[in-house]
Amino acid sequence: MKTIQESPLSVQGLTVAYQKKPVLQDVTFEVPEGKLIAIVGPNGAGKSTLIKAALGLIPKVRGDVRIYGKPYVQQRKMIGYVPQRESVDWDFPTSALDVVMMGRYGHLGWFKRPGANEKRIAMESLDKVGMADFAGRQISQLSGGQQQRIFLARALAQDAKLYFMDEPFVGVDAATEKAIITLLNELKKQGKTVLVVHHDLSTVNEYFDWVLLLNVGLIDVGPVDSVFTAANLQITYGGRLAVLDRSQDALVVTTR
Ligand SMILES: Nc1ncnc2c1ncn2[C@@H]1O[C@H](COP(=O)(O)OP(=O)(O)O)[C@@H](O)[C@H]1O
Ligand SMILES: [Mg+2]
């Protein structure tokens, strides 16, 4: 008999409010394993809030979040998180290597200090994002794109099964964007599930398997081919959507 696979992420009736104003309303969905999933919606739609609530970083009003069938607290080690870059204190005096090693702490037992093995894994992760030469550099002395790569290396070092990345493509150059995409596809090949808050609607088709459309409530979720439609985007962005055009098989969208 075939065993039923638990979903990497199952969200039931999730409602989150700041000062009583709901920013996520009754959101329910499940994602399949091994997919690259874009989280798409206008500014203030609750995309970052959805990730933070899933990670237990902010309290919820109602609802339930399960990671492979269990609450987050029991599954910490399975999850990698790349926060929105501007939410990080880059002046904190620490080296690139230290930031990546922090990704390994979940794997160490009590009172164990990171040793040669942890350092080797951290260096390999830095190498994968092309940042090995910057291991000793203070994070405040890195460019935006380099800082983003350091955070990706940290997520890699975590060796998680489920990843959340909050706008990893914002403020990076074309080379870093390519490096991130290569890495996402590598994670996918390893059967990992990656949810990415994504702003550039013109690359959703190319980069992602699934899309989750959000604007306080869940608009739709599923394979890009069936969910990333003009009609759904109109609902998600409302009046802010200026141009919709199907050309060269890609949905071209401009927001204002
Ligand atoms: N700490 C906070 N206190 C009060 N309101 C917040 C806080 N964080 C976010 N918000 C509000 O919640 C809404 C959703 O925010 P967020 O999840 O960051 O949106 P997104 O990531 O989709 O741009 C926005 O209206 C935002 O202003
Ligand atoms: Mg956000």
Side-chain angles (χ1 to χ4, degrees), residues 18-19 21 23 41-50 84 166-167:
Y18 292 112
Q19 288 102 37
K21 177 181 160 250
V23 294
N43 286 330
K47 304 180 296 295
S48 298
T49 301
L50 174 64
Q84 223 169 321
D166 204 342
E167 303 201 14

Side-chain angles (χ1 to χ4, degrees), residues 2 4 28 31 36 46 53 65-66 73 76 87 107 110 113-114 138-139 141 144 148 160 178 192 215 227 233 248 252:
K2 212 178 155 196
I4 296 164
T28 298
V31 302
L36 302 181
V65 178
R66 302 262 153 174
V73 279
R76 250 177 245 278
S87 71
H107 294 267
W110 283 104
R113 297 188 140 270
Q138 291 291 303
I139 54 165
Q141 289 159 19
Q148 195 65 61
K178 256 204 168 144
K192 318 225 170 190
N215 193 350
V227 170
L233 285 169
Q248 297 158 348
V252 179

Side-chain angles (χ1 to χ4, degrees), residues 180-196:
I180 296 173
I181 277 301
T182 304
L183 203 132
L184 291 181
N185 282 308
E186 197 178 305
L187 292 172
K188 178 182 154 175
K189 234 185 266 162
Q190 294 166 11
K192 318 225 170 190
T193 309
V194 191
L195 286 101
V196 180

Side-chain angles (χ1 to χ4, degrees), residues 45-62:
K47 304 180 296 295
S48 298
T49 301
L50 174 64
I51 292 179
K52 287 179 194 162
L55 298 173
L57 297 172
I58 49 168
K60 49 188 189 270
V61 176
R62 267 189 305 282

